[in-house]
């Protein structure tokens, strides 16, 4: 009776181990700048409905470094840990086996490997997913543009997951205490950018959403830059109840007017004192030749000396400081 029982159980166990994808170890890469946000996806996909009981996010700065807790979820409670406490949020829908993590205000020390572990009810196997995060120096937050030009204002939420932004707001402020103006709005359900009717006079027909919204890219193009466009531009990407913001300061350079210089604009200047005037140019007038010995002995101080094609005109002065004619 034992053999039939073994033969009956083996196919069942074999089907169980090969038919489910609840033990997956994969690795993705993500590159962000200091100060940006990073969305790291962690979604368990299965044909069967399985309730998530626990989610752990761990961080390791190197191959032999100790793993540190970033965040853990248990019994409907999400708890950030350590230096990540005020910078990480669980943005996934746990009811749909989504344990995605949003890391905000990225620091240089955040570079490393982030591992997500999802545990399911009545299961001993664990779903794992790793994300290698690379951190670059802080991206410039200031742009310069000339009047009349077009300039692109970037706003991208770097992500490895499939979570999509639900709404985008672009606002403008001309100064520290000035009121913010909504210049563009985008709703993912409408899939059409909507301009604020109150701002038709300033940005009407000059702002275009050029980013790929399916990749959480909300970059815009500002055309025909004006002097009054100088100020701060803030992009807000909404992920449900969470918001990622990025502010860019735009400096507008005015075009310098061209000045035409005419002879009438040149005013004569009167020289005073014992001054020596040297004029470099081509001497066209001919004077009686003087011997080199006479010139060397300065016996003819009132003569001109012509050297080659570039003439050096030396006019000696009298003791009284008056120029003597040759």
């Amino acid at each position: 009776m034992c053999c039939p029982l073994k033969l009956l159980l083996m196919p069942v166990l074999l089907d169980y181990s090969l038919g489910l994808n609840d033990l997956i170890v994969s690795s993705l890469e993500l590159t962000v700048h200091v100060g940006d946000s990073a969305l790291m996806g962690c979604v368990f996909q299965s044909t069967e409905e399985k309730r998530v009981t626990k989610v752990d996010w761990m961080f390791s700065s190197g191959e032999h470094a100790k793993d540190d807790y970033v965040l853990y979820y248990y019994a409907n409670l999400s708890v950030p840990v350590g230096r990540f406490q005020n910078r990480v949020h669980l943005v996934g829908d746990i009811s749909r086996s989504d344990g995605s993590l949003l890391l905000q205000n990225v620091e240089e020390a955040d570079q490393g490997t982030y591992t997500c572990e999802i545990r399911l009810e009545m299961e001993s196997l664990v779903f794992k997913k790793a994300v290698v995060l690379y951190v670059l120096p802080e991206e410039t937050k200031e742009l310069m543009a000339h009047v009349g030009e077009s300039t692109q204002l970037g706003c991208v939420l770097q992500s490895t997951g499939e979570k999509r932004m639900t709404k985008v707001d672009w606002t403008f402020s001309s100064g520290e205490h000035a009121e913010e103006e909504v210049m563009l709005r985008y709703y993912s359900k409408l899939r059409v950018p909507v301009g604020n009717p109150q701002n038709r006079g300033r940005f009407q027909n000059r702002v275009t959403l050029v980013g790929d919204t399916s990749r959480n890219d909300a970059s815009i193009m500002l055309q025909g830059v004006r002097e009054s466009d100088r100020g701060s531009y803030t992009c807000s990407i909404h992920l449900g109840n969470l918001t990622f913001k990025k502010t860019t300061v735009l400096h507008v350079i005015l075009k310098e007017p061209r000045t035409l210089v005419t002879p009438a604009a040149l005013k004569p200047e009167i020289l005073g004192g014992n001054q020596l005037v040297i004029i470099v140019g081509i001497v066209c007038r001919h004077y009686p030749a003087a011997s080199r010995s006479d010139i060397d002995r300065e016996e003819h101080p009132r003569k001109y000396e012509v050297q080659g094609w570039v003439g050096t005109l030396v006019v000696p002065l009298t003791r009284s400081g008056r120029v003597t004619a040759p």
Side-chain angles (χ1 to χ4, degrees), residues 76-97:
N76 295 325
L77 183 64
S78 176
V79 182
V81 180
R83 64 185 184 87
F84 298 98
Q85 193 165 6
N86 298 318
R87 299 189 296 127
V88 292
H89 302 275
L90 198 65
V91 295
D93 186 351
I94 297 297
S95 65
R96 297 187 177 183
S97 303

Side-chain angles (χ1 to χ4, degrees), residues 5-22:
L5 180 61
K6 289 182 179 179
L7 293 174
L8 184 64
L9 288 176
M10 285 180 62
V12 175
L13 293 174
L14 185 62
D15 180 72
Y16 175 81
S17 61
L18 295 179
L20 297 178
N21 293 325
D22 51 1

Side-chain angles (χ1 to χ4, degrees), residues 9 12 17 83 91 98 100 112 117 119 126 138 143 177 186 194 198 235 242 272 288 292 296 306:
L9 288 176
V12 175
S17 61
R83 64 185 184 87
V91 295
D98 185 351
S100 299
E117 298 181 354
R119 290 172 172 80
V126 180
E138 186 174 6
L143 290 177
H177 302 290
Y186 170 85
V194 180
Q198 297 179 356
C235 164
L242 295 175
R292 170 56 61 181
D296 293 339
V306 180

Side-chain angles (χ1 to χ4, degrees), residues 294 298-304 314-316 324:
D294 290 341
E298 297 183 354
E299 293 182 357
H300 298 272
R302 297 182 181 181
K303 298 293 184 180
Y304 284 92
V314 180
V315 182
T324 59

Side-chain angles (χ1 to χ4, degrees), residues 251-266:
H251 301 280
V252 179
I253 303 174
L254 302 180
K255 291 184 178 180
E256 298 182 0
R258 296 182 178 180
T259 303
L260 180 62
V261 180
T262 61
L266 301 178

Side-chain angles (χ1 to χ4, degrees), residues 102-221:
L102 177 65
L103 172 61
Q104 296 179 305
N105 193 21
V106 172
E107 302 173 358
E108 187 176 353
D110 293 338
Q111 179 166 296
T113 302
Y114 294 77
T115 303
C116 165
E117 298 181 354
I118 293 182
R119 290 172 172 80
L120 306 171
E121 187 177 31
M122 303 299 293
E123 294 289 349
S124 59
L125 297 177
V126 180
F127 168 76
K128 293 184 178 181
K129 189 169 187 179
V131 178
V132 180
L133 183 67
Y134 297 100
V135 181
L136 301 178
E138 186 174 6
E139 197 174 17
T140 178
K141 296 181 180 179
E142 296 188 2
L143 290 177
M144 301 184 70
H146 288 82
V147 170
E149 293 181 345
S150 295
T151 185
Q152 181 168 326
L153 304 175
C155 182
V156 184
L157 175 59
Q158 301 294 343
S159 169
T160 63
E162 298 181 355
K163 194 170 185 63
R164 298 289 179 259
M165 56 188 184
T166 56
K167 179 185 174 185
V168 174
D169 289 324
W170 273 95
T171 59
F172 168 77
S173 175
S174 59
E176 184 177 356
H177 302 290
E179 183 180 354
E180 285 192 340
E181 305 174 35
V182 178
M183 52 188 296
L184 182 139
R185 277 186 176 144
Y186 170 85
Y187 297 90
S188 59
K189 293 183 179 180
L190 298 178
R191 298 185 182 277
V192 177
V194 180
N196 186 359
Q198 297 179 356
N199 289 329
R200 291 182 181 273
R202 181 187 292 269
F203 296 105
Q204 180 72 8
N205 300 325
R206 294 198 299 128
V207 178
T208 306
L209 187 64
V210 295
D212 185 352
T213 55
S214 66
R215 298 179 179 271
N216 294 329
D217 185 349
S219 301
I220 61 172
M221 180 70 72

